[in-house]
């Protein structure tokens, strides 16, 4: 790595943004979104009220799909007078009634919407520390399903691979790195108001979630996945490691080195060979 090169940061794939949080925010850059974004009349959809008007579980899933599509509109901008409901939508998405809904399709599409929110607001997500961690915990659960979805014919394959793609292209995992670096060793954020009433987030808690993310990415990919999935997995993990730049926490290094220490994996597809072993 070039010592003069700036660290990787979570980036907006559509337009330049310079605001940031935590250490290193001055160096945060943007990148262009690799997947095309569509223009559509998305303002009425991008609000908390739109989701709250659902009449059934299926209607809620339909509305979440519309939200995900609307968020992919290249015209969507945070704090824009054209999208006054965007902040309220971001807030409601991290509510348990969506993020931890009892239905798996609702949880999945809520995570997909959150991934788009990360991209729209990059590099500064619109949630507090605990909300960010809650989004990542559910994101990791959804991403883990990629381990048994190895082809486009698999159910929700496109959705799971899209989560990994966003982690690679938007570098969403860097949010956790920034969170870890912004927390004092004592466990509280150096920017937090002691009288805010928010639940404190510890550096160890944020590090544990990052380790879980890296572990999940490494273990959910196997030889049956397409090469593009492998490359996205590498990019997603590398983005996090690059952001630490010579100061990677030991638990994170352990997650990366553990598969190497376990030795090579031998894939056996011949049942006779398995029986003989």
């Amino acid at each position: 790595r070039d010592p003069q090169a700036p660290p990787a940061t979570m980036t907006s794939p559509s337009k330049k943004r310079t605001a940031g949080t935590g250490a290193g925010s001055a160096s945060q850059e943007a990148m262009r979104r690799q997947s095309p974004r569509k223009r559509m009349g998305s303002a009425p959809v991008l609000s908390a009220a739109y989701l709250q008007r659902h009449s059934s579980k299926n209607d809620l899933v339909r509305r979440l799909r519309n939200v995900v599509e609307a968020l992919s509109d290249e015209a969507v901008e945070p704090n824009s007078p054209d999208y006054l409901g965007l902040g309220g939508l971001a807030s409601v998405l991290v509510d348990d009634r969506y993020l931890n809904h009892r239905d798996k399709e609702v949880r999945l599409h809520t995570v997909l919407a959150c991934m788009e929110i990360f991209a729209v607001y990059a590099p500064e997500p619109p949630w507090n520390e605990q909300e960010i961690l809650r989004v990542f915990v559910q994101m990791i659960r959804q991403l883990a399903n990629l381990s048994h979805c190895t082809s486009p014919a698999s159910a929700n394959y496109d959705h799971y691979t899209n989560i990994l793609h966003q982690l690679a292209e938007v570098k969403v995992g860097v949010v956790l790195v920034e969170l870890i670096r912004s927390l004092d060793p004592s466990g509280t954020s150096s920017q937090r108001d002691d009288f805010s009433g928010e639940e404190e987030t510890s550096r160890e808690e944020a590090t544990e979630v990052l380790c879980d993310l890296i572990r999940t990415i490494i273990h959910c990919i196997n030889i049956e996945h397409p090469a593009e999935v492998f490359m996205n997995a590498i990019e997603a993990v590398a983005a996090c490691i690059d952001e630490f730049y010579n100061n990677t926490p030991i638990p994170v290094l352990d997650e990366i080195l553990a598969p190497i220490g376990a030795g090579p994996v031998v894939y056996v597809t011949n049942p006779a060979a398995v029986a003989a072993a």
Side-chain angles (χ1 to χ4, degrees):
R1 179 187 174 95
D2 182 355
Q4 302 301 318
T9 57
M10 189 181 85
T11 55
S12 168
S14 59
K15 36 185 77 74
K16 300 271 186 179
R17 306 186 196 277
T18 57
T21 57
S25 62
S27 67
Q28 295 188 351
E29 300 175 348
M31 70 189 303
R32 295 176 182 171
R33 182 178 293 253
Q34 301 301 313
S35 58
R37 303 185 76 186
K38 304 174 182 177
R39 290 191 176 274
M40 56 184 292
S42 54
V45 174
L46 299 180
S47 68
Y50 177 76
L51 287 182
Q52 293 166 347
R53 289 197 298 268
H54 69 274
S55 58
S56 64
K57 185 270 292 183
N58 289 337
D59 185 40
L60 176 55
V61 172
R62 179 186 66 81
R63 288 173 182 267
L64 282 167
R65 286 172 177 162
N66 290 340
V67 165
V68 173
E69 172 128 13
L71 285 168
S72 70
D73 187 341
E74 64 180 1
V76 176
E77 284 277 0
N79 305 317
S80 166
D82 295 327
Y83 299 95
L84 296 177
L86 190 58
L89 173 64
S91 296
V92 80
L93 283 172
V94 295
D95 194 290
D96 277 342
R97 56 182 160 162
Y98 300 112
L99 192 60
N100 291 311
H101 194 280
R102 65 178 180 273
D103 183 80
K104 63 181 181 180
E105 288 294 315
V106 173
R107 295 193 301 271
L108 171 58
H109 285 86
T110 299
V111 167
L112 293 172
C114 288
M115 298 301 286
E116 293 292 342
I117 290 289
F118 272 123
V120 169
Y121 278 86
E124 183 178 356
W127 303 302
N128 63 38
E129 296 158 358
Q130 277 296 316
E131 289 170 339
I132 288 172
L133 292 187
R134 291 174 64 245
V135 170
F136 270 97
V137 167
Q138 187 59 247
M139 176 205 305
I140 292 167
R141 291 172 182 166
Q142 298 302 322
L143 185 62
N145 290 311
L146 192 57
S147 63
H148 55 78
C149 293
T150 56
S151 74
S154 304
N156 291 321
Y157 173 86
D158 288 341
H159 296 320
Y160 300 139
T161 54
N162 182 60
I163 293 174
L164 184 60
H165 177 76
Q166 293 274 47
L167 284 165
E169 295 296 335
V170 186
K171 307 184 190 305
V172 175
V174 170
V175 172
L176 286 176
V177 179
E178 289 289 336
L179 183 56
I180 292 169
R181 296 196 306 196
S182 71
L183 292 170
D184 293 329
S186 60
T188 58
S189 172
S190 57
Q191 301 177 350
R192 183 194 297 277
D193 181 352
D194 291 340
F195 301 99
S196 64
E198 296 177 2
E199 182 180 353
E200 291 186 355
T201 300
S202 70
R203 177 180 289 182
E204 289 73 19
E205 184 180 4
T207 302
E208 182 179 351
V209 174
L210 177 59
C211 288
D212 196 12
L213 174 64
I214 292 175
R215 184 187 316 118
T216 300
I217 292 174
I218 292 174
H219 289 284
C220 76
I221 306 302
N222 61 59
I223 196 172
E224 297 180 7
H225 283 109
E228 180 183 5
V229 175
F230 271 91
M231 293 306 300
N232 283 336
I234 293 171
E235 289 293 330
V237 174
C240 298
I241 303 306
D242 287 347
E243 182 71 3
F244 281 115
Y245 190 42
N246 293 337
N247 195 28
T248 307
I250 297 300
V252 176
L253 289 176
D254 286 343
E255 293 299 335
I256 297 172
L257 296 176
I260 299 175
V265 176
V266 179
Y267 293 92
V268 179
T269 57
N270 186 343
V274 175

